[in-house]
Amino acid sequence: PLAACGLSSGPIDGQVLEVGTNKPIAGAIVIGRWQGTYSQLVESKTVCYHVETATTDAQGRYRMPAWHRMTKGPFFSASPDGYVINVYKPGYKISDDTFSRETWRKNVYLIEPFKGTRTDRLEYLERMLDATRCGSQNESERNLHAMYYAMYEEAKNIAVSAEDMEIVDNLRYWASFVLLDKNKPTTRDAKGRLINVDPETH
């Protein structure tokens, strides 16, 4: 719900299972992205304004905490659109069955072993990166660090070619970027990407 002076959500509980076997999946990272409609004079767009993550336990269960964030003035012109869930587990992918059954209504998500080449997997990780970023650049982005670092580790372990290493480098950068303190001075590295500046050395 959209409060008069802030945005919030209650806790979310659910479970991650392996498709076909219904085996609970432990250690999966569940990502929740809250989205809403932001108006800018003559146009409006859908933006992510908060992101949370949780890790599944031995029974594949997860719980995202309740949160509340104050806003400065009217940020959204309409009620928020709700949240979108993604699930990451090394060597797995989200199953299409998650979206063709009623499971998602109960916050149950189905994943399956990834079948494909090394290149296919790296491309999948790139798509997962794009699908989970939260462009509002608020403090909740930090919650993505554990997932991005795990993706970086997976990519690093299978990378072979120079092209593969570009993907690895990009994942490593985003794992660091979400920890960037937006309230401190920044500069750009050799590749034009934002990094914090140490004021004592600049």
Side-chain angles (χ1 to χ4, degrees), residues 36-40 43-47 74-77:
T37 303
Y38 175 62
S39 290
Q40 293 179 307
E43 65 177 17
S44 60
K45 60 182 179 179
T46 299
V47 296
F75 188 70
F76 290 99
S77 63

Side-chain angles (χ1 to χ4, degrees), residues 101-144:
R101 299 180 180 179
E102 294 297 308
T103 53
W104 63 273
R105 295 183 183 275
K106 301 175 183 178
N107 288 327
V108 174
Y109 294 88
L110 304 175
I111 65 176
E112 61 187 63
F114 186 88
K115 297 178 181 177
T117 65
R118 181 192 79 254
T119 300
D120 293 337
R121 183 62 182 177
L122 291 170
E123 290 176 352
Y124 178 84
L125 294 177
E126 281 194 304
R127 292 195 299 273
M128 180 65 75
L129 174 68
D130 290 339
T132 54
R133 293 203 318 236
C134 192
S136 61
Q137 296 191 4
N138 61 74
E139 67 282 356
S140 75
E141 279 188 313
R142 290 173 171 264
N143 296 328
L144 291 167

Side-chain angles (χ1 to χ4, degrees), residues 41-107:
L41 297 178
V42 297
E43 65 177 17
S44 60
K45 60 182 179 179
T46 299
V47 296
C48 168
Y49 57 85
H50 190 84
V51 61
E52 288 284 343
T53 62
T55 302
T56 56
D57 62 17
Q59 287 73 47
R61 298 193 179 279
Y62 65 89
R63 180 179 178 84
M64 291 187 185
W67 60 269
H68 179 78
R69 182 162 68 87
M70 300 301 293
T71 59
K72 297 178 181 179
F75 188 70
F76 290 99
S77 63
S79 297
D81 302 328
Y83 61 87
V84 177
I85 295 289
N86 260 296
V87 181
Y88 168 73
K89 171 82 173 178
Y92 281 80
K93 75 179 190 73
I94 297 175
S95 171
D96 291 339
D97 286 357
T98 285
F99 309 104
S100 61
R101 299 180 180 179
E102 294 297 308
T103 53
W104 63 273
R105 295 183 183 275
K106 301 175 183 178
N107 288 327

